[in-house]
Amino acid sequence: DSGVTQTPKHLITATGQRVTLRCSPRSGDLSVYWYQQSLDQGLQFLIQYYNGEERAKGNILERFSAQQFPDLHSELNLSSLELGDSALYFCASSGDSQETQYFGPGTRLLVL
Amino acid sequence: GENVEQHPSTLSVQEGDSAVIKCTYSDSASNYFPWYKQELGKGPQLIIDIRSNVGEKKDQRIAVTLNKTAKHFSLHITETQPEDSAVYFCAPRRAGSARQLTFGSGTQLTVLP
């Protein structure tokens, strides 16, 4: 158990809809990262937050947005969903050194 | 951003044999070199890491070696066991940097009993 929690575990929705994925980092970790992992693909970095502020941005679509709240939990919002958005979405957290990242169990999103 | 190449993409070994996975990177300023293991249905988990002031690090059956001049580092697993079967990712980076994080494409290791 990494100490990072993600909800929900599974999500099934339809094209055009909007969903919110939630992540709670390890106790004391200020950085939260979001990754997308499509079938047979590697981990694609989406976005990083540090203590409530956006720190780095990767290949995140404009339809996607994220935020980190004062209690350090983070949410990833996916809107106008398309079939191709079906994937595993992982959250990770790290401490001040931002070296080691601890991953949550992921949210499996299926867009029908 | 960092260009990361990981080889091989798939690797099958007999139980008890050794496995080696190589990761090549482009950013000469990278100074932190971790390997992650992802089991089916789970998130990646850090299994070993090395920093640029060290050439090799061992933890029981796994080891990581670093060649900074050639800009590559490798994961070595000895006496492989079926539970080593998983996907392994490298993720070289500058520690503390806010630059985009790049993982290797992954290596599917299968240990045959």
Side-chain angles (χ1 to χ4, degrees), chain B residues 2 4 6 10 13 17 20 26 28-29 40-41 50 55 57 63 68-69 75 87 90 101 107 111:
Chain B
E2 174 93 91
V4 180
Q6 191 176 328
T10 60
V13 298
D17 287 351
V20 181
S26 62
S28 56
L40 199 61
I50 194 170
K57 182 177 177 182
K68 277 217 86 179
T69 304
L75 175 68
V87 180
C90 63
L101 308 171
T107 297
V111 179

Side-chain angles (χ1 to χ4, degrees), chain B residues 24 27 35 45 49 70 75 86 98 106:
Chain B
T24 304
D27 185 356
W35 284 96
Q45 301 298 320
D49 57 11
L75 175 68

Side-chain angles (χ1 to χ4, degrees), chain A residues 2 33 35 37 41-43 45 48 55-59 88 90 96-106 108, chain B residues 31-32 34 36 38 41-46 49 51 89 93-106:
Chain A
S2 66
Y33 309 79
Y35 293 87
Q37 187 175 40
Q41 295 292 313
L43 288 148
F45 169 69
Q48 177 198 359
R55 191 74 180 262
K57 218 166 185 176
N59 299 321
L88 271 167
F90 288 105
D96 275 348
S97 71
Q98 297 181 53
E99 289 185 346
T100 304
Q101 295 188 14
Y102 297 88
F103 282 77
R108 184 176 293 278
Chain B
N31 55 5
Y32 177 63
Y36 286 84
Q38 185 177 22
K42 296 184 179 180
Q45 301 298 320
L46 178 73
D49 57 11
R51 287 163 178 80
F89 293 97
R93 70 196 61 191
R94 297 185 196 182
S97 168
R99 289 179 58 174
Q100 182 169 341
L101 308 171
T102 305
F103 279 70
S105 53

